[in-house]
Structures are given as C-alpha cells and as structure tokens.
C-alpha cells in the first residue's frame, strides 16, 4: 500500500429530495458530512448496520448517487476528477477507472448472455476495443486472472455455482482495467467455504493489478481478515475510523464495541458477554438530537442528548466521534 491518496472525500453529503410538493422541501440525508481518505493499493473496509449509509457512500464515490454537499476527488497519476461535478467525457473515463462488484452473483448476470458476452459487454459499451479479436483476447486475459476456465466462456450463467458466478462478476468489473473497486457485500450471498476462495482471489487481484478496494460488509470477521483500514458508519455519519488492528484491538466508540461484541465466539466463556445493541437504527427522516447513537448507547449522558460530537483525530490515526471516548477508554484500562 502506498501513501498516495486515491479517493478523498471531505464532508461528503448525499441528500434525496423526498418532498411531496413544491412547498415540501424535505431532504433525506443518506450520507451526512463524511470525510474519508482511501490510500492507493489499500483494502478499505466500511461497516455498519443496514441503513447506516455505507452502500450510498460507495455509490456516491462511483458517481452513482448524487453528491449534494462537500467534495470528493479521485486522483490517478496525472488525472484528478471532482466527483461532485464530473460529467461528459470525463465521466465516461471515470467509469473505466472505477467499478462495482455486485452483492448477488445470481441477479447480476443476464441469463441470456454467454459468459464471454457478459465479460465483453463493458469493453464494447465503453469502446475500449476495436475488433472482436481484440475483445476476445482481453476477455481471455481477465478470465484467466479470475481463475475461470476458457471453456466456460461459451456457457451461460445458470451452469455455474455461486462462487463461479461471482468470479464472472469480478471479471466483468475488471475487464475495463479499473483502479478503484467498490465491493458491496460481495461475498455475503456465498457459502462460508466459497467466501474464503473469493476473498483470496480479490486479495490476489489487488496485488497483481494494483487495485484499491472499498469493501462494504456487515460481516466483521471477514473485514478483520481482509481490510487494512476500517471505517464505521451510523445513521449516515462516520463514527470511527482506524487501521484494522488498532480498531479491533481497542475500539473507542460504543457503537463499534457493540458491533464487535456481537461477533459469534467459539469460546464458551465469551458467550453471554456480548454487549447487546438494543433497538433499531432510527429513521434518517426522524434523527435524534445530539449524538445520533444516544437512543441506543449504554454510556449516554445528558450532553449526548443535546450536543452532537465531532469526529476527533487525536493524532494516532484512530478517529472517533464520541464525547466520552477518553474516559471510557481509561475506565476500561483500569477495570
Ligand atoms: Fe454514547 Fe454519548 Fe458517546 Fe454518543 S457521545 S456514543 S451517546 S457516550
């Protein structure tokens, strides 16, 4: 991993106007003032419950959701795109450089197309190859990298297992030669034994092709083994962000602690110790005042109900948004 920043977002906001008429200007903020920096060549994990805004953030960075506030840039060598305003030919170029791997390998592939045509389609749509021979050569090259047999290229998706289908989806995402990949719950629909196979493939491809991943997942054990850095989202906001080892060794935000304690353990002594996450994530249309987590936080005090904490970075690369993180950390050390 290099120190170069490939994706930089500052106060990025994604809002949808859901008002019912001309005078109703209700805006739903699915992502609210999120700042992240994703280093080139890294595997950046994004976690949180359903409704936390992680998928919307990934889509905004692919220019598939509207950026309505803040800034986001993509920098690849000499090229820098402002993701809030990129359009026209620049947007077409950005689509070659940034791609999505879908969650569901069953729904993502057209049952009427052969594997060859599925993988070749982005090349043809983007005009990246001029002849059929050129297209076939590129399809064969990327299929081999994704561990697909060349004889599979003539078959239809229904002939394949879930893991093989996901490798076809990965080949399709990589055929245009992107640098940035958003993998949104890309192994969630697969059996556990197949998940490891697909994750190993993604890590290998990252190394071989110099890819940078935004890996969106609700599965913290997968994130712990795959990602270099993890950011935690709650109700559209970033609440904690740190290198993976640091985050898993000593989470600072009560929400992150609750997520971690819910990871199933094989140790019988650990069972029952889980700090349960009570209630559900509030509606983004009816957000609590102050800290958005206070309605579910076991450590909430009066200040939490009135004042929203800011994301604080104490200088060790471990940022957290909580009024009480220092005293909670000290209490945990002395306990
Ligand atoms: Fe809990 Fe208060 Fe920290 Fe929010 S600011 S996470 S409510 S202790």
């Amino acid at each position: 991993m290099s120190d170069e920043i490939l994706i930089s977002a500052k106060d990025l906001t994604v809002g949808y106007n859901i008002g019912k008429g001309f005078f109703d200007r209700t805006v739903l903020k699915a992502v609210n003032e999120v700042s992240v920096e994703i280093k080139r060549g890294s595997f950046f994990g994004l976690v949180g419950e359903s409704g936390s805004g992680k998928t919307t953030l990934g889509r905004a960075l692919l220019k598939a959701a509207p950026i309505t506030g803040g800034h986001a840039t993509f920098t690849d060598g000499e090229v820098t795109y402002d993701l809030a305003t990129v359009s026209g030919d620049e947007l077409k170029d950005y689509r070659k450089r940034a791609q999505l791997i879908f969650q569901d390998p069953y729904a993502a592939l057209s049952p009427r197309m052969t594997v060859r045509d599925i993988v070749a389609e982005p090349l043809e749509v983007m005009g990246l190859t001029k002849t059929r021979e050129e297209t076939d050569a590129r399809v064969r090259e990327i299929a081999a990298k994704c561990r697909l047999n060349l004889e599979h290229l003539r078959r239809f998706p229904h002939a394949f297992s879930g893991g093989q289908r996901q490798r076809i989806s990965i080949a399709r995402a990589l055929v245009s030669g992107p640098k940035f990949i958003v993998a949104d719950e890309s192994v969630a629909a697969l059996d556990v034994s197949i998940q490891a196979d697909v994750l190993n493939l993604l890590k290998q491809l990252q190394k071989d092709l110099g890819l940078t991943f935004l890996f969106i997942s609700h599965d913290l054990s997968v994130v712990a083994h795959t990602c270099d850095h993890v950011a935690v989202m709650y109700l559209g906001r970033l609440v904690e962000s740190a290198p993976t080892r640091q985050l898993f060794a000593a989470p600072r935000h009560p929400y992150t602690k609750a997520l971690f304690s819910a990871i199933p353990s094989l140790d019988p002594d650990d069972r029952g110790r889980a700090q349960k996450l009570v209630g559900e994530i509030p509606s983004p249309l009816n957000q609590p005042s102050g800290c958005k987590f206070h309605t579910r936080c076991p450590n909430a005090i009066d200040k939490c109900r009135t004042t929203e904490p800011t994301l604080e970075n104490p200088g060790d690369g471990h940022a957290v948004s909580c009024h009480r993180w220092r005293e909670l950390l000290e209490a945990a050390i002395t306990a």
Side-chain angles (χ1 to χ4, degrees):
M1 183 175 43
S2 89
D3 277 340
E4 272 176 67
I5 305 297
L6 186 82
I7 294 277
S8 172
K10 179 93 181 95
D11 297 333
L12 186 150
T13 299
V14 178
Y16 295 99
N17 194 338
I18 55 163
K20 294 203 175 74
F22 185 77
F23 296 106
D24 183 357
R25 302 276 172 178
T26 310
V27 172
L28 184 152
K29 286 188 181 171
V31 173
N32 203 337
E33 297 186 6
V34 166
S35 299
V36 286
E37 287 189 336
I38 302 178
K39 289 183 181 169
R40 177 188 293 278
S42 67
F43 228 99
F44 190 103
L46 196 55
V47 302
E49 294 165 284
S50 298
S52 60
K54 54 193 193 306
T55 291
T56 309
L57 177 59
R59 288 171 58 82
L61 296 178
L62 287 175
K63 194 67 188 162
I67 296 174
T68 52
H71 302 282
T73 54
F74 167 90
T75 304
D76 184 18
E78 302 291 298
V79 176
T80 295
Y81 291 135
D82 178 341
L83 301 183
T85 58
V86 66
S87 60
D89 287 346
E90 285 190 343
L91 180 55
K92 280 188 197 160
D93 186 60
Y94 183 59
R95 299 255 183 260
K96 294 173 205 160
R97 296 170 190 259
Q99 284 286 329
L100 172 71
I101 299 173
F102 289 96
Q103 173 180 2
D104 185 351
Y106 290 89
L109 306 177
S110 168
R112 292 188 193 84
M113 292 168 77
T114 63
V115 173
R116 182 264 173 212
D117 290 346
I118 288 170
V119 178
E121 193 175 45
L123 294 175
E124 287 156 2
V125 170
M126 294 178 192
L128 294 176
T129 48
K130 293 191 176 61
T131 63
R132 188 174 173 91
E133 290 69 33
E134 211 183 320
T135 304
D136 283 341
R138 176 64 184 152
V139 168
R140 281 199 296 272
E141 183 191 359
I142 205 71
K145 281 200 165 27
C146 294
R147 300 183 202 149
L148 290 166
N149 287 336
L150 296 186
E151 67 197 51
H152 289 169
L153 295 175
R154 283 186 305 231
R155 299 193 194 158
F156 290 86
H158 66 78
F160 297 96
S161 66
Q164 286 170 319
R165 285 182 194 216
Q166 196 56 304
R167 278 189 260 137
I168 298 167
S169 293
I170 294 167
R172 180 182 161 95
L174 298 186
V175 77
S176 63
K179 293 286 181 236
F180 177 52
I181 300 289
V182 175
D184 188 359
E185 301 281 7
S186 299
V187 295
L190 304 176
D191 290 343
V192 177
S193 56
I194 308 296
Q195 282 187 8
D197 189 42
V198 173
L199 286 170
N200 287 339
L201 174 64
L202 292 179
K203 291 294 272 185
Q204 190 62 48
L205 290 167
Q206 177 200 24
K207 220 188 279 175
D208 293 349
L209 304 175
L211 301 173
T212 303
F213 278 89
L214 175 64
F215 188 79
I216 298 171
S217 180
H218 68 277
D219 189 334
L220 293 164
S221 23
V222 167
V223 168
H225 287 100
T226 316
C227 299
D228 313 302
H229 190 105
V230 182
V232 184
M233 286 188 73
Y234 186 78
L235 209 54
R237 287 159 175 80
L238 204 67
V239 296
E240 189 161 8
S241 175
T244 307
R245 276 198 198 163
Q246 218 167 312
L247 189 80
F248 277 76
R252 289 176 179 170
H253 197 283
Y255 177 57
T256 314
K257 289 178 201 169
L259 288 179
F260 285 2
S261 64
I263 300 174
S265 171
L266 293 176
D267 181 352
D269 292 340
D270 274 356
R271 290 178 200 156
R273 281 195 204 159
Q275 178 189 325
K276 287 210 177 79
L277 203 48
V278 288
E280 290 188 2
I281 195 165
S283 161
L285 277 176
N286 190 18
Q287 301 204 5
S289 57
C291 172
K292 304 306 166 203
F293 187 55
H294 86 251
T295 52
R296 304 167 79 193
C297 181
N299 309 110
I301 54 174
D302 284 347
K303 183 182 180 185
C304 306
R305 295 179 188 95
T306 54
T307 312
E308 184 164 10
T310 52
L311 194 72
E312 194 183 327
N313 192 339
D316 58 358
H318 189 155
V320 60
S321 167
C322 171
H323 295 306
R324 302 189 67 199
W325 76 266
R326 281 179 209 276
E327 58 175 297
L328 294 173
L329 188 64
E330 275 162 28
I333 291 168
T334 51

